[in-house]
Amino acid sequence: MGASCASFYANVVLHKWEHTFVLIPPWKQYILFYRRYLDDICILWGGSQDELRQFFCYINSTTNFLQFTHTVDPHELHYLDITLYKDYTQNVFHLHFESAHPLYQKRGIIKGQLIRASRICSTQEEFELEVETLQALFLERGYPLELFRTLAGEVSSLRNSLYPPILGKGSEALINSASNTLVHHTNSFAYTYSSNSKEMEEIIMHHWPVLALFEELKDFIPPKPSFVRKRGANFKEIFERKHDSKKKVKQPRLGTHRCGSCAQCHAISNESSLYIPSRNFRVHPTGFYTCATKGVVYLGLCTTCQSFYVGKTERELRKRIYEHLYDMAKKKETNAFFKHSLSCPGLNIKFTVLEQVELDARGGDWESTLGYRELLWQLRLDAGRSPGLNGTISIKPVLKLRRARL
Ligand SMILES: [Zn+2]
Ligand SMILES: [Zn+2]
């Protein structure tokens, strides 16, 4: 087969040859499986050894330009550059019966193996032999003989309908008839298996006849419900899910929040970040604050004209807000917001925390530090210059802090 066209010619010739001499009666009935690659042919023979010998004599007599050699082996088959083995994958490594798995799973393992045996064994004798082998394997793994025999009987009785051999005489007819009797699970109740499954199914079974009483439904519902159980979460998944759910807990948004239970909540800015256009400065909060947070440097921003005031309080922010609102109501001239209200008719002040100064355990110079941080914010935002409302900025806090630290 040296020339590039040789394979093409070989295919044409052998195609003609196989359809003229091989895939015809009486041989066709013995050929369970037939595949050819160029001039290499793989056949699963369903007849006797004698018939096979006759077949070889016959095909070698069909042409004088082809000479066939053959190998016969009931266990393995060399074809092209691969070797096919009879399936020895069934072994003693099945789940042990003592395992804590639910019984239905263990039954499923046995039944699965029996169905597999029924499908791959073309003759009844082979099937019975296979069942015996399986029985020994399962007994060795602690399965009760009674259970195995019950399931073997069940599969055997369905061998001509639901579980016909894949290959074998008349298998096509069997397969066709099987597909008619197969249970269709499209209307099954699919759910995740749990320890309550048995009770759930019993309740559904118990009340099933009630559905048949409905005229509109009775044509659509089967006489008995069928259930499809999905595997529940295993330990690994349960733990991972718990772990994940922790991750998914929504982190509260950083910034100043309304506490939801005080009279000053309305004066808290709802924005996650505040922008002061005159200073081209955006406040990015670094902590979670509420009206009740103590020891803060805060910003009071007039949302109408963007004027702002930077202040501090050692007490809860809401107490300081209350004082501001009180002073404004009392028209106290020393209050920066009241003064601003005289020139800003639509005045609307919203407060937000710029920074919290945590009280350190030793008490220390907390108040001085707070004053100092307030000063830094006032300088950073240039709060003494319009539209800043702080007026003159005193550097006293720096001196105070210095003194406190000396
Ligand atoms: Zn509040
Ligand atoms: Zn204003």
Side-chain angles (χ1 to χ4, degrees), residues 27-40:
W27 312 110
K28 202 181 167 188
Q29 60 172 318
Y30 302 121
I31 297 172
L32 306 176
F33 177 87
Y34 182 92
R35 289 289 183 279
R36 176 178 59 78
Y37 178 76
L38 296 179
D39 54 354
D40 259 322

Side-chain angles (χ1 to χ4, degrees), residues 302-307 340-341 343-349 389:
C302 176
T303 56
T304 310
C305 69
Q306 308 299 322
S307 295
H340 176 62
S341 71
S343 60
C344 179
L347 169 113
N348 181 25
I349 307 290
L389 301 173

Side-chain angles (χ1 to χ4, degrees), residues 258-262 264-265 291 318:
R258 294 171 177 177
C259 74
S261 60
C262 78
Q264 278 67 55
C265 280
C291 331
R318 58 188 168 197

Side-chain angles (χ1 to χ4, degrees), residues 111 115 118-119 154-166 174-185:
K111 196 163 173 183
I115 292 171
S118 176
R119 302 281 284 156
E154 213 173 280
V155 173
S156 276
S157 67
L158 294 170
R159 192 165 144 75
N160 290 326
S161 53
L162 268 185
Y163 315 123
I166 297 167
L174 283 174
I175 290 165
N176 289 339
S177 73
S179 65
N180 294 334
T181 52
L182 275 175
V183 181
H184 291 289
H185 286 291

